[in-house]
Coordinates of all heavy atoms in Angstrom, one line a residue:
M1 N 3.5 19.3 9.6 CA 2.5 18.4 9.3 C 3.2 17.1 8.7 O 4.0 17.2 7.9 CB 1.5 19.0 8.3 CG 0.4 18.1 7.9 SD -0.8 18.7 6.7 CE -1.4 20.2 7.4
K2 N 2.7 16.0 9.1 CA 3.3 14.7 8.7 C 2.8 14.4 7.2 O 1.8 14.9 6.8 CB 2.8 13.6 9.6 CG 3.4 13.6 10.9 CD 3.0 12.4 11.7 CE 3.7 12.4 13.1 NZ 3.3 11.2 13.8
F3 N 3.7 13.6 6.6 CA 3.4 13.3 5.2 C 2.1 12.6 5.0 O 1.4 12.9 4.1 CB 4.6 12.4 4.7 CG 4.4 12.0 3.3 CD1 4.6 12.9 2.3 CD2 4.1 10.7 3.0 CE1 4.5 12.5 0.9 CE2 4.0 10.3 1.7 CZ 4.1 11.2 0.6
A4 N 1.8 11.6 5.9 CA 0.5 10.9 5.8 C -0.7 11.8 5.9 O -1.7 11.6 5.3 CB 0.5 9.8 6.8
E5 N -0.6 12.8 6.8 CA -1.7 13.8 7.0 C -1.9 14.6 5.7 O -3.1 14.9 5.4 CB -1.4 14.7 8.2 CG -1.4 14.0 9.5 CD -1.0 14.9 10.6 OE1 -0.6 16.1 10.4 OE2 -1.0 14.5 11.8
K6 N -0.8 14.9 5.0 CA -1.0 15.7 3.8 C -1.7 14.8 2.7 O -2.6 15.3 2.0 CB 0.4 16.1 3.2 CG 1.1 17.1 4.0 CD 2.4 17.5 3.4 CE 3.2 18.5 4.2 NZ 4.5 18.7 3.6
L7 N -1.4 13.5 2.7 CA -2.1 12.7 1.7 C -3.6 12.5 2.1 O -4.4 12.5 1.2 CB -1.5 11.3 1.7 CG -0.2 11.1 0.9 CD1 0.4 9.7 1.0 CD2 -0.4 11.4 -0.5
Y8 N -3.9 12.5 3.4 CA -5.3 12.4 3.8 C -6.1 13.6 3.4 O -7.2 13.5 2.9 CB -5.4 12.2 5.3 CG -5.5 10.7 5.7 CD1 -4.4 10.2 6.4 CD2 -6.6 9.9 5.5 CE1 -4.4 8.9 6.8 CE2 -6.6 8.6 5.8 CZ -5.5 8.1 6.5 OH -5.5 6.8 6.9
K9 N -5.4 14.8 3.5 CA -6.1 16.0 3.2 C -6.2 16.3 1.7 O -7.2 16.8 1.2 CB -5.5 17.2 3.9 CG -5.7 17.2 5.4 CD -5.1 18.4 6.0 CE -5.4 18.3 7.5 NZ -4.8 19.4 8.2
S10 N -5.1 16.1 0.9 CA -5.1 16.5 -0.5 C -5.0 15.3 -1.5 O -5.1 15.6 -2.7 CB -3.9 17.4 -0.7 OG -2.7 16.7 -0.5
G11 N -5.0 14.1 -1.0 CA -4.8 13.0 -1.9 C -6.2 12.4 -2.4 O -7.2 12.8 -1.9
V12 N -6.1 11.6 -3.4 CA -7.2 10.9 -4.0 C -7.3 9.6 -3.3 O -6.4 8.8 -3.2 CB -7.0 10.7 -5.5 CG1 -8.2 10.0 -6.1 CG2 -6.9 12.1 -6.1
S13 N -8.5 9.2 -2.9 CA -8.8 8.0 -2.1 C -9.4 6.9 -3.1 O -10.3 7.2 -3.9 CB -9.7 8.2 -0.9 OG -9.9 7.0 -0.3
L14 N -8.9 5.7 -2.9 CA -9.4 4.6 -3.7 C -9.5 3.4 -2.8 O -8.6 3.0 -2.1 CB -8.5 4.3 -4.9 CG -8.6 3.0 -5.6 CD1 -9.9 3.0 -6.5 CD2 -7.4 2.7 -6.5
V15 N -10.7 2.7 -2.8 CA -10.8 1.5 -2.0 C -11.0 0.3 -3.0 O -11.9 0.3 -3.8 CB -12.0 1.6 -1.1 CG1 -12.2 0.2 -0.3 CG2 -11.9 2.7 -0.1
S16 N -10.1 -0.6 -2.9 CA -10.1 -1.8 -3.7 C -9.7 -2.9 -2.7 O -8.6 -3.1 -2.4 CB -9.2 -1.7 -4.9 OG -9.2 -2.9 -5.6
F17 N -10.7 -3.7 -2.3 CA -10.5 -4.7 -1.2 C -9.3 -5.6 -1.5 O -9.2 -6.1 -2.7 CB -11.8 -5.5 -1.0 CG -11.7 -6.3 0.3 CD1 -11.9 -5.7 1.5 CD2 -11.4 -7.6 0.2 CE1 -11.9 -6.4 2.7 CE2 -11.3 -8.4 1.4 CZ -11.5 -7.8 2.6
P18 N -8.4 -5.8 -0.7 CA -8.3 -5.5 0.7 C -7.4 -4.3 1.0 O -6.8 -4.2 2.0 CB -7.6 -6.7 1.3 CG -6.7 -7.2 0.2 CD -7.4 -6.8 -1.1
Y19 N -7.4 -3.3 0.1 CA -6.6 -2.1 0.3 C -7.5 -0.8 0.2 O -8.5 -0.7 -0.5 CB -5.6 -2.0 -0.8 CG -4.7 -3.1 -1.0 CD1 -4.8 -4.0 -2.0 CD2 -3.7 -3.4 0.0 CE1 -4.0 -5.1 -2.1 CE2 -2.9 -4.5 -0.1 CZ -3.0 -5.3 -1.2 OH -2.2 -6.4 -1.3
K20 N -7.0 0.2 0.9 CA -7.4 1.6 0.7 C -6.1 2.3 0.3 O -5.1 2.2 1.0 CB -8.0 2.2 2.0 CG -8.4 3.6 1.9 CD -9.0 4.1 3.1 CE -9.4 5.6 2.9 NZ -10.0 6.2 4.1
I21 N -6.2 2.9 -0.8 CA -5.0 3.6 -1.3 C -5.3 5.1 -1.5 O -6.2 5.5 -2.0 CB -4.6 3.0 -2.7 CG1 -4.3 1.6 -2.6 CG2 -3.4 3.8 -3.3 CD1 -3.9 0.9 -3.9
L22 N -4.4 5.9 -0.9 CA -4.4 7.3 -1.0 C -3.2 7.7 -1.9 O -2.1 7.3 -1.6 CB -4.3 8.0 0.4 CG -5.4 7.7 1.3 CD1 -5.1 8.1 2.7 CD2 -6.7 8.5 0.9
S23 N -3.4 8.6 -2.9 CA -2.3 8.9 -3.7 C -2.4 10.4 -4.0 O -3.5 11.0 -4.1 CB -2.4 8.1 -5.0 OG -3.5 8.5 -5.8
A24 N -1.2 11.0 -4.3 CA -1.1 12.4 -4.7 C 0.1 12.5 -5.6 O 1.0 11.7 -5.5 CB -0.9 13.3 -3.4
D25 N 0.0 13.5 -6.5 CA 1.2 13.7 -7.4 C 2.4 14.2 -6.6 O 2.3 15.1 -5.7 CB 0.8 14.8 -8.5 CG -0.2 14.2 -9.5 OD1 -0.2 13.0 -9.7 OD2 -1.1 15.0 -9.9
A26 N 3.5 13.8 -7.0 CA 4.8 14.2 -6.4 C 5.2 15.5 -7.1 O 5.0 15.7 -8.3 CB 5.9 13.2 -6.6
A27 N 5.7 16.4 -6.4 CA 6.2 17.7 -6.9 C 7.4 17.5 -7.8 O 8.1 16.5 -7.7 CB 6.5 18.7 -5.8
E28 N 7.7 18.5 -8.6 CA 8.8 18.4 -9.6 C 10.1 18.3 -8.8 O 10.4 19.0 -7.8 CB 8.9 19.7 -10.4 CG 9.9 19.6 -11.5 CD 9.6 18.7 -12.6 OE1 8.5 18.5 -12.9 OE2 10.6 18.2 -13.2
G29 N 10.9 17.3 -9.1 CA 12.2 17.0 -8.4 C 12.1 16.3 -7.0 O 13.0 16.1 -6.4
E30 N 10.8 16.0 -6.7 CA 10.6 15.3 -5.4 C 10.5 13.8 -5.6 O 9.9 13.4 -6.5 CB 9.3 15.9 -4.8 CG 9.0 15.4 -3.3 CD 7.8 15.9 -2.8 OE1 6.9 16.3 -3.6 OE2 7.6 16.0 -1.6
E31 N 11.2 13.1 -4.7 CA 11.2 11.6 -4.8 C 9.8 11.1 -4.3 O 9.4 11.4 -3.2 CB 12.3 11.1 -3.9 CG 12.5 9.6 -4.0 CD 13.2 9.2 -5.3 OE1 13.9 10.0 -5.9 OE2 13.0 8.1 -5.7
P32 N 9.2 10.3 -5.1 CA 7.9 9.7 -4.7 C 8.1 8.7 -3.5 O 9.0 8.0 -3.5 CB 7.4 8.9 -5.9 CG 8.4 9.0 -7.0 CD 9.5 9.9 -6.5
R33 N 7.1 8.8 -2.6 CA 7.2 8.0 -1.4 C 6.1 7.0 -1.3 O 5.0 7.3 -1.8 CB 7.2 8.9 -0.2 CG 8.4 9.8 -0.1 CD 8.3 10.8 1.0 NE 8.3 10.1 2.3 CZ 8.1 10.7 3.5 NH1 8.0 12.0 3.5 NH2 8.1 10.0 4.6
V34 N 6.3 5.9 -0.7 CA 5.3 4.9 -0.5 C 5.3 4.5 1.0 O 6.3 4.2 1.6 CB 5.6 3.6 -1.3 CG1 4.5 2.5 -1.0 CG2 5.6 3.9 -2.8
I35 N 4.1 4.6 1.6 CA 3.9 4.2 3.0 C 2.9 3.0 3.0 O 1.9 3.1 2.4 CB 3.3 5.4 3.8 CG1 4.3 6.6 3.8 CG2 3.0 4.9 5.2 CD1 3.7 7.8 4.5
I36 N 3.3 2.0 3.7 CA 2.4 0.8 3.8 C 2.0 0.7 5.3 O 2.8 0.7 6.2 CB 3.2 -0.5 3.4 CG1 3.6 -0.3 1.9 CG2 2.3 -1.7 3.6 CD1 4.6 -1.4 1.5
S37 N 0.7 0.6 5.5 CA 0.2 0.6 6.8 C -0.7 -0.6 7.0 O -1.6 -0.9 6.2 CB -0.6 1.9 7.1 OG -1.3 1.8 8.3
V38 N -0.4 -1.3 8.1 CA -1.3 -2.5 8.5 C -1.7 -2.1 9.9 O -0.9 -2.2 10.9 CB -0.6 -3.8 8.4 CG1 -1.5 -5.0 8.8 CG2 0.0 -4.1 7.1
P39 N -3.0 -1.8 10.2 CA -3.4 -1.4 11.5 C -3.3 -2.4 12.6 O -3.6 -3.6 12.4 CB -4.9 -1.0 11.2 CG -5.1 -0.8 9.8 CD -4.1 -1.7 9.2
K40 N -2.9 -2.0 13.7 CA -2.8 -2.8 14.9 C -4.1 -3.3 15.3 O -4.2 -4.4 15.9 CB -2.1 -2.1 16.0 CG -1.7 -2.9 17.2 CD -0.9 -2.1 18.2 CE -0.4 -2.9 19.3 NZ 0.4 -2.1 20.2
K41 N -5.2 -2.6 15.0 CA -6.5 -3.0 15.3 C -6.9 -4.3 14.6 O -7.7 -5.1 15.1 CB -7.5 -1.8 14.9 CG -8.9 -2.0 15.3 CD -9.7 -0.8 15.0 CE -11.1 -0.9 15.4 NZ -11.9 0.3 15.0
M42 N -6.4 -4.5 13.4 CA -6.7 -5.7 12.6 C -5.9 -6.9 13.1 O -6.4 -8.0 13.1 CB -6.5 -5.4 11.1 CG -7.3 -4.2 10.6 SD -9.0 -4.6 10.6 CE -9.6 -3.1 9.9
F43 N -4.6 -6.6 13.3 CA -3.7 -7.7 13.6 C -2.9 -7.3 14.9 O -2.0 -6.4 14.8 CB -2.7 -8.0 12.5 CG -3.4 -8.5 11.2 CD1 -3.7 -7.6 10.2 CD2 -3.7 -9.8 11.1 CE1 -4.3 -8.1 9.1 CE2 -4.4 -10.3 10.0 CZ -4.7 -9.4 9.0
K44 N -3.1 -7.9 16.0 CA -2.5 -7.5 17.2 C -1.0 -7.9 17.3 O -0.2 -7.2 17.8 CB -3.2 -8.2 18.4 CG -4.6 -7.9 18.6 CD -4.8 -6.4 18.9 CE -6.3 -6.1 19.0 NZ -6.6 -4.7 19.0
R45 N -0.6 -9.0 16.6 CA 0.8 -9.4 16.6 C 1.6 -8.7 15.6 O 1.2 -8.7 14.4 CB 0.8 -11.0 16.4 CG 0.1 -11.8 17.4 CD 1.0 -12.1 18.5 NE 0.2 -12.7 19.6 CZ 0.8 -13.5 20.5 NH1 2.1 -13.7 20.4 NH2 0.1 -14.0 21.4
A46 N 2.7 -8.2 16.0 CA 3.6 -7.5 15.0 C 4.1 -8.5 13.9 O 4.4 -8.0 12.8 CB 4.8 -6.9 15.8
V47 N 4.3 -9.7 14.3 CA 4.7 -10.7 13.3 C 3.8 -10.7 12.1 O 4.3 -10.7 10.9 CB 4.9 -12.1 13.9 CG1 5.2 -13.1 12.9 CG2 5.9 -12.1 15.0
K48 N 2.5 -10.7 12.3 CA 1.6 -10.8 11.2 C 1.5 -9.4 10.4 O 1.4 -9.5 9.2 CB 0.2 -11.1 11.7 CG 0.0 -12.5 12.2 CD -1.3 -12.8 12.7 CE -1.4 -14.2 13.2 NZ -2.8 -14.6 13.7
R49 N 1.6 -8.3 11.1 CA 1.7 -7.0 10.5 C 2.9 -6.9 9.6 O 2.8 -6.5 8.4 CB 1.6 -5.9 11.5 CG 0.3 -5.8 12.2 CD 0.2 -4.5 13.0 NE 1.3 -4.2 13.9 CZ 1.4 -4.6 15.1 NH1 0.4 -5.3 15.7 NH2 2.4 -4.2 15.9
N50 N 4.0 -7.4 10.1 CA 5.3 -7.3 9.3 C 5.2 -8.3 8.1 O 5.7 -8.0 7.0 CB 6.5 -7.7 10.2 CG 6.8 -6.6 11.2 OD1 6.4 -5.4 10.9 ND2 7.4 -6.9 12.2
Y51 N 4.6 -9.4 8.3 CA 4.4 -10.4 7.2 C 3.6 -9.8 6.0 O 4.1 -9.8 4.9 CB 3.6 -11.6 7.7 CG 3.2 -12.6 6.7 CD1 4.1 -13.6 6.3 CD2 2.0 -12.6 6.1 CE1 3.7 -14.6 5.4 CE2 1.6 -13.5 5.1 CZ 2.5 -14.5 4.8 OH 2.2 -15.5 3.8
I52 N 2.6 -9.1 6.3 CA 1.8 -8.4 5.3 C 2.5 -7.3 4.6 O 2.5 -7.1 3.4 CB 0.4 -7.9 5.9 CG1 -0.4 -9.2 6.3 CG2 -0.4 -7.1 4.9 CD1 -1.6 -8.8 7.1
R53 N 3.2 -6.5 5.4 CA 4.0 -5.4 4.9 C 5.1 -5.8 3.9 O 5.3 -5.3 2.9 CB 4.7 -4.6 6.0 CG 3.9 -3.3 6.4 CD 4.8 -2.5 7.4 NE 3.9 -2.2 8.5 CZ 3.9 -2.7 9.7 NH1 4.9 -3.5 10.1 NH2 3.1 -2.4 10.6
R54 N 5.8 -6.9 4.3 CA 6.8 -7.4 3.5 C 6.3 -8.0 2.2 O 6.9 -7.8 1.1 CB 7.6 -8.5 4.2 CG 8.5 -8.0 5.2 CD 9.3 -9.1 5.9 NE 10.1 -8.6 7.0 CZ 10.0 -9.1 8.2 NH1 9.2 -10.1 8.5 NH2 10.8 -8.6 9.1
R55 N 5.1 -8.6 2.2 CA 4.5 -9.1 1.0 C 4.0 -8.0 0.1 O 4.2 -8.1 -1.1 CB 3.3 -10.0 1.3 CG 3.6 -11.3 2.1 CD 4.8 -12.0 1.5 NE 5.1 -13.3 2.2 CZ 6.0 -13.4 3.2 NH1 6.7 -12.4 3.6 NH2 6.3 -14.6 3.7
I56 N 3.5 -7.0 0.6 CA 3.1 -5.8 -0.2 C 4.3 -5.1 -0.8 O 4.3 -4.8 -2.0 CB 2.2 -4.8 0.7 CG1 0.9 -5.4 1.1 CG2 2.0 -3.5 -0.1 CD1 0.1 -4.6 2.1
R57 N 5.3 -4.9 0.0 CA 6.6 -4.3 -0.5 C 7.1 -5.1 -1.7 O 7.6 -4.6 -2.7 CB 7.6 -4.2 0.6 CG 8.3 -2.9 0.6 CD 9.3 -2.8 1.8 NE 8.6 -2.3 3.0 CZ 8.7 -2.9 4.2 NH1 9.5 -3.9 4.4 NH2 8.0 -2.4 5.2
E58 N 7.2 -6.5 -1.5 CA 7.7 -7.3 -2.6 C 6.8 -7.3 -3.8 O 7.3 -7.2 -5.0 CB 7.8 -8.8 -2.1 CG 8.3 -9.8 -3.1 CD 9.7 -9.5 -3.5 OE1 10.4 -8.7 -2.9 OE2 10.2 -10.2 -4.5
S59 N 5.5 -7.2 -3.7 CA 4.6 -7.1 -4.8 C 4.8 -5.8 -5.5 O 4.8 -5.7 -6.8 CB 3.2 -7.2 -4.3 OG 2.3 -7.0 -5.4
L60 N 5.0 -4.7 -4.8 CA 5.3 -3.4 -5.4 C 6.6 -3.4 -6.2 O 6.7 -2.9 -7.3 CB 5.4 -2.3 -4.4 CG 4.1 -1.7 -3.9 CD1 4.3 -0.7 -2.7 CD2 3.4 -1.0 -5.0
R61 N 7.6 -4.1 -5.6 CA 8.9 -4.2 -6.3 C 8.8 -4.9 -7.6 O 9.4 -4.5 -8.6 CB 9.9 -4.9 -5.3 CG 11.3 -4.9 -5.9 CD 12.2 -5.7 -5.0 NE 12.0 -7.1 -5.1 CZ 12.4 -7.9 -6.1 NH1 13.1 -7.5 -7.1 NH2 12.1 -9.2 -6.1
L62 N 8.1 -6.0 -7.6 CA 7.9 -6.8 -8.8 C 7.1 -6.2 -9.9 O 7.3 -6.4 -11.1 CB 7.3 -8.2 -8.4 CG 8.2 -9.1 -7.6 CD1 7.4 -10.4 -7.2 CD2 9.5 -9.5 -8.3
S63 N 6.1 -5.4 -9.5 CA 5.2 -4.8 -10.4 C 5.6 -3.3 -10.8 O 4.8 -2.6 -11.4 CB 3.8 -4.8 -9.9 OG 3.7 -4.1 -8.8
K64 N 6.8 -2.9 -10.4 CA 7.2 -1.5 -10.6 C 7.2 -1.1 -12.1 O 6.8 0.0 -12.5 CB 8.6 -1.2 -10.0 CG 8.9 0.2 -9.6 CD 10.2 0.3 -8.9 CE 10.1 1.5 -8.0 NZ 11.3 1.6 -7.2
G65 N 7.7 -2.0 -12.9 CA 7.8 -1.8 -14.4 C 6.4 -1.7 -15.1 O 6.3 -1.1 -16.1
E66 N 5.4 -2.4 -14.5 CA 4.1 -2.5 -15.1 C 3.3 -1.2 -15.0 O 2.4 -0.9 -15.8 CB 3.3 -3.6 -14.5 CG 3.9 -5.0 -14.8 CD 3.0 -6.1 -14.2 OE1 1.8 -5.9 -14.1 OE2 3.6 -7.1 -13.7
F67 N 3.6 -0.4 -13.9 CA 2.8 0.7 -13.6 C 3.7 2.0 -13.6 O 4.3 2.3 -12.5 CB 2.1 0.6 -12.2 CG 1.2 -0.6 -12.2 CD1 1.5 -1.8 -11.6 CD2 -0.1 -0.5 -12.8 CE1 0.7 -2.9 -11.6 CE2 -0.9 -1.6 -12.8 CZ -0.5 -2.8 -12.2
P68 N 3.8 2.7 -14.7 CA 4.7 3.9 -14.7 C 4.1 5.0 -13.8 O 4.8 6.0 -13.4 CB 4.7 4.3 -16.1 CG 3.6 3.6 -16.8 CD 3.3 2.4 -16.0
V69 N 2.8 4.9 -13.3 CA 2.2 5.8 -12.4 C 3.0 5.9 -11.1 O 3.1 7.0 -10.5 CB 0.7 5.4 -12.2 CG1 0.1 6.2 -11.0 CG2 -0.1 5.6 -13.4
L70 N 3.6 4.8 -10.7 CA 4.3 4.8 -9.4 C 5.5 5.7 -9.4 O 5.9 6.1 -8.3 CB 4.7 3.3 -9.1 CG 3.6 2.3 -9.0 CD1 4.3 0.9 -8.8 CD2 2.7 2.6 -7.8
E71 N 6.0 6.0 -10.5 CA 7.2 6.9 -10.5 C 6.9 8.3 -10.3 O 7.9 9.1 -10.1 CB 7.9 6.7 -11.9 CG 8.4 5.3 -12.1 CD 9.0 5.1 -13.5 OE1 9.2 6.1 -14.2 OE2 9.3 3.9 -13.9
H72 N 5.7 8.8 -10.3 CA 5.3 10.2 -10.2 C 4.3 10.4 -9.1 O 3.7 11.5 -9.1 CB 4.8 10.7 -11.6 CG 5.7 10.4 -12.7 ND1 6.9 11.0 -12.9 CD2 5.6 9.5 -13.7 CE1 7.5 10.6 -14.0 NE2 6.7 9.7 -14.5
R73 N 4.0 9.5 -8.3 CA 2.9 9.7 -7.3 C 3.4 9.2 -5.9 O 4.1 8.2 -5.8 CB 1.7 8.9 -7.7 CG 1.1 9.4 -9.0 CD -0.2 8.7 -9.3 NE -1.3 9.2 -8.5 CZ -2.0 10.3 -8.6 NH1 -1.7 11.1 -9.6 NH2 -3.0 10.6 -7.8
H74 N 2.9 9.8 -4.9 CA 3.1 9.4 -3.5 C 1.9 8.4 -3.3 O 0.8 8.6 -3.7 CB 3.0 10.6 -2.6 CG 4.0 11.6 -2.7 ND1 5.4 11.3 -2.6 CD2 4.0 12.9 -3.0 CE1 6.1 12.4 -2.8 NE2 5.2 13.4 -3.0
L75 N 2.2 7.4 -2.5 CA 1.2 6.4 -2.2 C 1.1 6.1 -0.7 O 2.2 6.0 -0.1 CB 1.4 5.1 -2.9 CG 1.3 5.0 -4.4 CD1 1.7 3.6 -4.9 CD2 -0.1 5.4 -4.8
L76 N -0.1 5.9 -0.2 CA -0.3 5.4 1.2 C -1.2 4.2 1.0 O -2.3 4.4 0.6 CB -0.9 6.5 2.1 CG -1.4 6.0 3.5 CD1 -0.2 5.5 4.3 CD2 -2.0 7.2 4.2
I77 N -0.7 3.0 1.3 CA -1.4 1.8 1.1 C -1.8 1.3 2.5 O -0.9 1.0 3.3 CB -0.6 0.7 0.4 CG1 -0.2 1.3 -1.0 CG2 -1.4 -0.6 0.2 CD1 0.8 0.4 -1.7
I78 N -3.1 1.2 2.7 CA -3.6 0.7 4.0 C -4.3 -0.7 3.8 O -5.2 -0.8 2.9 CB -4.6 1.7 4.6 CG1 -4.0 3.0 4.8 CG2 -5.1 1.2 6.0 CD1 -4.9 4.2 5.1
Y79 N -3.9 -1.7 4.5 CA -4.4 -3.0 4.4 C -5.6 -3.1 5.3 O -5.5 -2.9 6.5 CB -3.4 -4.0 4.8 CG -3.8 -5.5 4.6 CD1 -3.6 -6.1 3.3 CD2 -4.3 -6.3 5.6 CE1 -3.9 -7.4 3.1 CE2 -4.6 -7.6 5.3 CZ -4.5 -8.1 4.1 OH -4.8 -9.4 3.9
I80 N -6.8 -3.2 4.8 CA -8.1 -3.1 5.6 C -8.8 -4.5 5.8 O -9.8 -4.5 6.5 CB -9.1 -2.2 4.9 CG1 -9.4 -2.6 3.5 CG2 -8.6 -0.7 5.0 CD1 -10.5 -1.8 2.8
S81 N -8.2 -5.6 5.3 CA -8.8 -6.9 5.6 C -8.5 -7.4 7.0 O -7.4 -7.0 7.5 CB -8.4 -7.9 4.5 OG -8.9 -9.1 4.8
T82 N -9.3 -8.2 7.5 CA -9.0 -8.8 8.8 C -8.4 -10.2 8.7 O -8.1 -10.8 9.6 CB -10.3 -8.9 9.7 OG1 -11.3 -9.7 9.0 CG2 -10.8 -7.5 10.0
K83 N -8.3 -10.7 7.4 CA -7.8 -12.0 7.2 C -6.3 -11.9 6.6 O -6.0 -11.0 5.9 CB -8.6 -12.7 6.2 CG -10.0 -13.1 6.7 CD -10.8 -13.9 5.7 CE -12.1 -14.2 6.3 NZ -12.9 -15.1 5.4
L84 N -5.5 -12.9 7.0 CA -4.2 -13.0 6.5 C -4.2 -13.7 5.2 O -4.6 -14.8 5.0 CB -3.4 -13.8 7.5 CG -1.9 -13.7 7.5 CD1 -1.4 -12.3 7.7 CD2 -1.3 -14.7 8.5
C85 N -3.7 -13.0 4.1 CA -3.8 -13.5 2.8 C -2.3 -14.0 2.4 O -1.3 -13.5 2.9 CB -4.2 -12.4 1.8 SG -5.8 -11.8 2.1
D86 N -2.3 -14.9 1.5 CA -1.0 -15.3 1.0 C -0.5 -14.4 -0.1 O -1.2 -13.4 -0.5 CB -1.0 -16.8 0.4 CG -1.9 -16.9 -0.8 OD1 -2.7 -16.0 -1.1 OD2 -1.8 -17.9 -1.5
F87 N 0.7 -14.6 -0.6 CA 1.4 -13.7 -1.5 C 0.6 -13.5 -2.8 O 0.5 -12.4 -3.3 CB 2.8 -14.1 -1.8 CG 3.5 -13.1 -2.8 CD1 3.9 -11.9 -2.3 CD2 3.7 -13.5 -4.1 CE1 4.5 -11.0 -3.2 CE2 4.3 -12.6 -5.0 CZ 4.7 -11.4 -4.5
H88 N 0.1 -14.6 -3.4 CA -0.6 -14.5 -4.7 C -1.9 -13.6 -4.5 O -2.2 -12.8 -5.5 CB -0.9 -15.9 -5.2 CG 0.3 -16.7 -5.5 ND1 1.2 -16.3 -6.5 CD2 0.8 -17.7 -4.9 CE1 2.1 -17.2 -6.6 NE2 2.0 -18.1 -5.6
Q89 N -2.6 -13.7 -3.5 CA -3.8 -12.9 -3.3 C -3.4 -11.4 -3.1 O -4.0 -10.5 -3.7 CB -4.6 -13.4 -2.1 CG -5.3 -14.7 -2.3 CD -5.9 -15.2 -1.0 OE1 -5.4 -15.0 0.1 NE2 -7.1 -15.8 -1.1
I90 N -2.4 -11.2 -2.3 CA -1.9 -9.8 -2.1 C -1.4 -9.2 -3.4 O -1.7 -8.1 -3.7 CB -0.8 -9.8 -1.0 CG1 -1.4 -10.1 0.4 CG2 0.0 -8.5 -1.0 CD1 -0.4 -10.3 1.5
D91 N -0.6 -10.0 -4.1 CA -0.1 -9.5 -5.4 C -1.2 -9.2 -6.4 O -1.2 -8.1 -7.0 CB 0.9 -10.5 -6.0 CG 1.7 -10.0 -7.2 OD1 2.1 -8.9 -7.2 OD2 1.8 -10.8 -8.1
N92 N -2.1 -10.1 -6.6 CA -3.1 -9.9 -7.6 C -4.0 -8.8 -7.3 O -4.4 -7.9 -8.1 CB -4.0 -11.2 -7.8 CG -3.2 -12.3 -8.4 OD1 -2.2 -12.1 -9.1 ND2 -3.6 -13.5 -8.2
S93 N -4.4 -8.6 -6.0 CA -5.3 -7.5 -5.6 C -4.6 -6.2 -5.7 O -5.2 -5.2 -6.0 CB -5.9 -7.8 -4.2 OG -4.9 -8.0 -3.3
L94 N -3.3 -6.2 -5.4 CA -2.6 -4.9 -5.4 C -2.4 -4.5 -6.9 O -2.6 -3.3 -7.2 CB -1.2 -5.0 -4.8 CG -0.4 -3.7 -4.7 CD1 -1.1 -2.7 -3.8 CD2 1.0 -4.0 -4.2
K95 N -2.2 -5.4 -7.8 CA -2.1 -5.0 -9.2 C -3.4 -4.5 -9.7 O -3.5 -3.6 -10.5 CB -1.6 -6.3 -10.0 CG -0.2 -6.6 -9.9 CD 0.3 -7.8 -10.7 CE 1.7 -8.1 -10.4 NZ 2.2 -9.2 -11.2
E96 N -4.5 -5.1 -9.3 CA -5.8 -4.7 -9.7 C -6.1 -3.3 -9.1 O -6.6 -2.4 -9.8 CB -6.9 -5.6 -9.1 CG -8.3 -5.3 -9.4 CD -9.2 -6.3 -8.8 OE1 -9.0 -7.5 -8.9 OE2 -10.3 -5.8 -8.2
A97 N -5.7 -3.0 -7.9 CA -5.9 -1.7 -7.3 C -5.0 -0.6 -8.0 O -5.5 0.5 -8.3 CB -5.6 -1.7 -5.8
L98 N -3.8 -0.9 -8.3 CA -2.9 0.0 -9.0 C -3.4 0.3 -10.4 O -3.2 1.3 -10.9 CB -1.5 -0.5 -8.9 CG -0.8 -0.5 -7.6 CD1 0.6 -1.1 -7.7 CD2 -0.7 0.9 -7.0
G99 N -4.0 -0.7 -11.0 CA -4.5 -0.5 -12.3 C -5.7 0.5 -12.4 O -5.9 1.2 -13.4
K100 N -6.4 0.7 -11.2 CA -7.5 1.6 -11.2 C -7.0 3.1 -11.0 O -7.7 4.0 -11.2 CB -8.4 1.3 -10.0 CG -9.2 0.0 -10.2 CD -10.0 -0.3 -9.0 CE -10.8 -1.6 -9.2 NZ -11.6 -1.9 -8.0
L101 N -5.7 3.2 -10.6 CA -5.1 4.6 -10.4 C -5.0 5.2 -11.8 O -4.9 5.9 -12.4 CB -3.8 4.6 -9.8 CG -3.8 4.3 -8.3 CD1 -2.4 4.3 -7.8 CD2 -4.5 5.4 -7.5

């Protein structure tokens, strides 16, 4: 069974626009994983999907110290908006969503 499928079945779901976040506790001694998904249905061009993925990854890297929850949980972050957002919108909304975890 794939890792993402396990999160769908046993993880906790949270929707905070423009993200849907699935999270589950990491087992003892297991490295927490983060999967970032931007559906092809929303953005046909790979350039735009990669743009959003890179911005989300950078936002996670910058906010790692603010959220100790990230060190003990697996995350699946799905970008559900149909609009292309700039970095500040992506960063602020991701921090808001992670604050709800």
